[in-house]
Amino acid sequence: MFETWDVSRWSLIRQETIGADEKYWLADPNDRQAWLFKANNTHRNAAGEWSQREDFAEKVGGELASAMGIPCARIELARRDDESGCVSLNLCPEGWELQTGAVVLDGLLEDYEPGYMGNKARPGHSLENICQALDGYGPPPGAAVPAGFEAFDVFVGYVVFDAVVANRDRHDENWAVMRPPPDGSRATLAGSFDHARALGSTLREAKMSALLQGGVSNWCEKGTAWRFEHDPELTCPTLVQVASSALRMVAPAVREYWLESVADITEATVVGLTSRIPDMSVVVSTFIEQVVMTNRRRVLDGC
Ligand SMILES: Nc1ncnc2c1ncn2[C@@H]1O[C@H](COP(=O)(O)OP(=O)(O)OP(=O)(O)O)[C@@H](O)[C@H]1O
Ligand SMILES: [Mg+2]
């Protein structure tokens, strides 16, 4: 089983101001490394209380990303006092600065509207602009990607991974670059982070159960890439269609590399992860397995 870390006594470094939900940077007392504590969202109504399982999505998503060779934040399941959630290890090396995609695109485009301004068409947040904005950046430090991969080659991997795990949340503050101190190092793409909305984490278990009755294909096909630029008058492209577009923008060797990493996912890979999550019900684990395997097929057929 994956361990659940008790971080109740870890000291507070600061609150994270980016993002919709309350989150805290905490220091691991053993080595002073900074981890972002993200509590699961809890909903209360007359019928009672229920909790979304973003921690499952972050942990299974993070482990699956690593298995696919996607550089990403290390995630551990965690508890802080009476709150359940996860911790995400700071991607940014000491002395470096993380800048979100919103900041990067603002530097590239004169009239860029950051995603948090709420324009549903997401003008400017397109693969073409991201490719241009990442020109000159290297892959994340220590990334296990083939030599010669540049930042956009790795970003394409994130988009392919999102299609596999049904992550519709790759907005401009859910990817970032990292700038080094003035020591001559090269600025890089940051590893992938925030997979909290992947794998149906916002669905209640009864809904997952109902979806499993008829197979999850229809649900997977509704996975739209609404966080990327699109015409709101037209049908929004799916995550698989955007992954296909992204894979057409890179060299054949890069495309083959990511498609191979998708082909390599087996049911055993996914079960090997879900079976290690404490308290995961059969309904949730079956749902996650079917979503990943269905999307794996959709990516291989559609890209
Ligand atoms: N592992 C990490 N290393 C460095 N910075 C991180 C890491 N995880 C998150 N961040 C920073 O914290 C911000 C908020 O975190 P995150 O995106 O995980 O939270 P969120 O509240 O779920 O966001 P959203 O509004 O997208 O739902 C990110 O935009 C990023 O700037
Ligand atoms: Mg986020």
Side-chain angles (χ1 to χ4, degrees), residues 65 68 70 155-171 174-175 192-195 197-199 223-225 227-228 239-240 242-243 262 291 295 298-299:
M68 289 173 65
I70 304 281
F155 185 84
V156 169
Y158 299 176
V159 176
V160 171
F161 164 73
D162 289 342
V164 171
V165 297
N167 180 23
R168 296 173 66 237
D169 207 26
R170 186 72 65 181
H171 57 68
N174 277 343
W175 62 271
S192 185
F193 58 87
D194 195 0
H195 308 138
R197 303 273 155 83
L199 300 168
T224 50
R227 297 293 200 181
F228 288 93
L239 293 167
V240 174
V242 170
V262 174
V291 165
N295 283 335
R298 291 175 64 232
V299 169

Side-chain angles (χ1 to χ4, degrees), residues 189-262:
L189 178 68
S192 185
F193 58 87
D194 195 0
H195 308 138
R197 303 273 155 83
L199 300 168
S201 70
T202 57
L203 298 176
R204 297 184 73 162
E205 209 166 307
K207 175 73 181 174
M208 289 185 182
S209 228
L211 288 169
L212 283 169
Q213 302 278 312
V216 299
S217 289
N218 287 345
W219 183 82
C220 287
E221 271 149 37
K222 287 193 202 129
T224 50
W226 67 297
R227 297 293 200 181
F228 288 93
E229 183 174 289
H230 62 279
D231 183 343
E233 303 293 319
L234 303 175
T235 314
C236 186
T238 64
L239 293 167
V240 174
Q241 285 166 337
V242 170
S244 167
S245 304
L247 286 165
R248 274 185 265 119
M249 293 170 71
V250 290
V254 177
R255 175 193 158 79
E256 273 156 37
Y257 180 81
W258 292 126
L259 285 177
E260 238 167 69
S261 80
V262 174

Side-chain angles (χ1 to χ4, degrees), residues 22-272:
E22 218 172 66
K23 292 162 300 290
Y24 301 97
W25 284 103
L26 306 175
D28 180 341
N30 295 315
D31 56 12
R32 307 305 299 163
Q33 291 207 90
W35 295 74
L36 185 65
F37 177 72
K38 302 179 69 178
N40 292 331
N41 272 306
T42 302
H43 303 272
R44 287 175 195 90
N45 62 19
E49 184 179 297
W50 72 282
S51 186
Q52 284 176 200
R53 297 312 302 261
E54 291 103 331
D55 54 345
F56 290 179
E58 289 273 18
K59 182 64 181 167
V60 176
E63 295 286 337
L64 187 63
S66 297
M68 289 173 65
I70 304 281
C72 73
R74 179 178 161 200
I75 302 289
E76 297 296 341
L77 301 170
R79 185 183 334 103
R80 185 171 185 248
D81 299 319
D82 57 354
E83 288 191 301
S84 290
C86 67
V87 281
S88 177
L89 180 60
N90 188 9
L91 288 158
C92 217
E94 185 80 35
W96 289 50
E97 193 197 342
L98 185 123
Q99 277 185 348
T100 66
V103 176
V104 181
L105 288 171
D106 192 47
L108 176 79
L109 305 168
E110 239 169 55
D111 51 355
Y112 185 66
E113 264 182 67
Y116 54 74
M117 287 176 70
N119 186 334
K120 290 223 165 74
R122 293 305 309 113
H125 195 236
S126 64
L127 291 172
E128 292 71 22
N129 286 338
I130 295 170
C131 180
Q132 206 183 321
L134 290 179
D135 187 31
Y137 288 82
V145 291
F149 270 40
E150 295 288 323
F152 187 70
D153 297 325
V154 178
F155 185 84
V156 169
Y158 299 176
V159 176
V160 171
F161 164 73
D162 289 342
V164 171
V165 297
N167 180 23
R168 296 173 66 237
D169 207 26
R170 186 72 65 181
H171 57 68
D172 59 8
E173 290 185 320
N174 277 343
W175 62 271
V177 298
M178 301 195 301
R179 298 192 186 288
D183 65 358
S185 305
R186 191 177 178 204
T188 71
L189 178 68
S192 185
F193 58 87
D194 195 0
H195 308 138
R197 303 273 155 83
L199 300 168
S201 70
T202 57
L203 298 176
R204 297 184 73 162
E205 209 166 307
K207 175 73 181 174
M208 289 185 182
S209 228
L211 288 169
L212 283 169
Q213 302 278 312
V216 299
S217 289
N218 287 345
W219 183 82
C220 287
E221 271 149 37
K222 287 193 202 129
T224 50
W226 67 297
R227 297 293 200 181
F228 288 93
E229 183 174 289
H230 62 279
D231 183 343
E233 303 293 319
L234 303 175
T235 314
C236 186
T238 64
L239 293 167
V240 174
Q241 285 166 337
V242 170
S244 167
S245 304
L247 286 165
R248 274 185 265 119
M249 293 170 71
V250 290
V254 177
R255 175 193 158 79
E256 273 156 37
Y257 180 81
W258 292 126
L259 285 177
E260 238 167 69
S261 80
V262 174
D264 285 348
I265 302 168
T266 63
E267 215 165 84
T269 319
V270 190
V271 175

